[in-house]
Amino acid sequence: MPGHRALPPYDPGLQAERTVLAWSRTAFAFLVNAMLWLRAGLADGDNALLLFGAVLLALAAGFHACGRRRGRALTAGGRPVAAHPALMRALALGAALACLLAALASAHFGKG
């Protein structure tokens, strides 16, 4: 076709490294918060805090696994592929519920 240019070859640059670092930072933030909640639960003997810490720990593992998977997909070459929608929905829902539970727990335990 006249006037039609071919797309240049795909150059991911540092996209893979940035993606892995972003997911790692998110997983690390959830891990640190999970450890703090677990420590508080062990210190107070409160099973609710321990359960919340365990949920945060599972979310941290999910974020780490998703980040590693995305990083491997990007470094393998080719164009980036979207992460599985069900996994992304589960992680987003889990993070939103974790924030809600943290706010409720802070309001409840902050009264004492």
Side-chain angles (χ1 to χ4, degrees):
M1 250 192 235
H4 178 70
R5 293 190 293 164
L7 292 174
Y10 178 70
D11 178 23
L14 296 176
Q15 182 179 3
E17 289 82 2
R18 286 192 315 266
T19 298
V20 170
L21 285 173
W23 282 99
S24 297
R25 282 190 305 268
T26 303
F28 186 68
F30 271 81
L31 177 66
V32 168
N33 281 290
M35 293 298 143
L36 291 172
W37 282 93
L38 288 171
R39 181 174 180 250
L42 288 173
D44 293 346
D46 190 349
N47 289 335
L49 294 177
L50 290 173
L51 178 64
F52 185 62
V55 168
L56 286 178
L57 198 58
L59 282 169
F63 282 120
H64 178 71
C66 188
R68 296 284 296 187
R69 182 175 169 263
R70 294 277 296 149
R72 275 194 302 259
L74 289 172
T75 54
R79 297 206 180 266
V81 224
H84 195 278
L87 176 64
M88 300 303 339
R89 277 192 293 271
L91 287 174
L93 180 62
L97 286 175
C99 290
L100 176 66
L101 287 175
L104 292 174
S106 293
H108 176 72
F109 292 111
K111 291 179 182 177

